[in-house]
Amino acid sequence: MKKIKHEKLKTFLLLPVSIIFSLFVIEMFLVFFYPQNLTKYRLDPDIVSRPRANTLTVTHTLEYYTISKTNSKGLHDYEYGYNSSDYTIVMLGDSFTEGLQVNISDRFPKVLERKLLNRTPNERVINCGIGSQGTDQEYIYLKIECIKYRPNIVILNFFMGNDFAQSR
């Protein structure tokens, strides 16, 4: 009888130990083969997370290699002051707008800015995109940060592939 109880106890303990060990092995695999750069974002009480100011991020995958820098406001864009008489367009969105997969001059807010500057010299397009954000967080970010640029136009970039799921 004692032997049966001892065997049942071993079997009962083997399951959680196996699960914990398996999770540990998976975690180590992810840490070594798919490392995450946790220094490029900081926690934010209003929108969960936002890019850190004045950081340099190198992203290297099989598909691309980019170097991205945030400005003093934490935007993945050039440095812009809040008080400007320029015609200002603010672009909100998720990782497609943020555009860390390409260099800053190739991100579509900068492409739009170049096209506009060819027509009129006093225009600026400010990239307020933050990856993994839904439209609710983007709206809050507009109210607490992007509105300070006094935009004439606000463009919300919405990706049908995942933004419905991320918006609450």
Side-chain angles (χ1 to χ4, degrees), residues 6 49 60:
H6 184 67
S49 68
H60 183 86

Side-chain angles (χ1 to χ4, degrees), residues 5-132:
K5 283 185 179 181
H6 184 67
E7 288 298 318
K8 284 184 178 181
L9 180 64
K10 278 176 36 178
T11 305
F12 181 73
L13 290 177
L14 185 61
L15 179 63
V17 169
S18 299
I19 291 171
I20 291 170
F21 179 74
S22 298
L23 291 173
F24 176 77
V25 169
I26 291 169
E27 180 70 22
M28 289 299 103
F29 175 80
L30 292 173
V31 165
F32 288 113
F33 294 105
Y34 297 97
Q36 302 294 310
N37 183 353
L38 301 177
T39 61
K40 66 181 183 179
Y41 294 101
R42 66 178 175 88
L43 293 178
D44 184 278
D46 297 311
I47 61 169
V48 181
S49 68
R50 68 193 300 180
R52 292 181 187 274
N54 301 312
T55 59
L56 184 69
T57 303
V58 176
T59 306
H60 183 86
T61 70
L62 295 174
E63 298 172 349
Y64 58 87
Y65 176 86
T66 60
I67 298 173
S68 183
K69 184 179 184 316
T70 57
N71 63 22
S72 65
K73 314 282 190 314
L75 301 177
H76 290 282
D77 206 336
Y78 302 123
E79 193 68 46
Y80 291 107
Y82 291 135
N83 299 318
S84 173
S85 60
D86 290 350
Y87 192 85
T88 302
I89 299 171
V90 164
M91 296 188 93
L92 294 166
D94 61 4
S95 58
F96 281 87
T97 306
E98 186 179 44
L100 297 184
Q101 300 82 3
V102 295
N103 292 316
I104 189 169
S105 62
D106 297 326
R107 296 176 190 153
F108 70 87
K110 295 297 118 193
V111 172
L112 175 61
E113 185 176 68
R114 274 195 310 275
K115 288 181 182 270
L116 292 172
L117 287 173
N118 286 337
R119 296 174 58 201
T120 55
N122 296 329
E123 304 212 20
R124 61 187 188 161
V125 179
I126 299 174
N127 184 351
C128 290
I130 301 176
S132 300

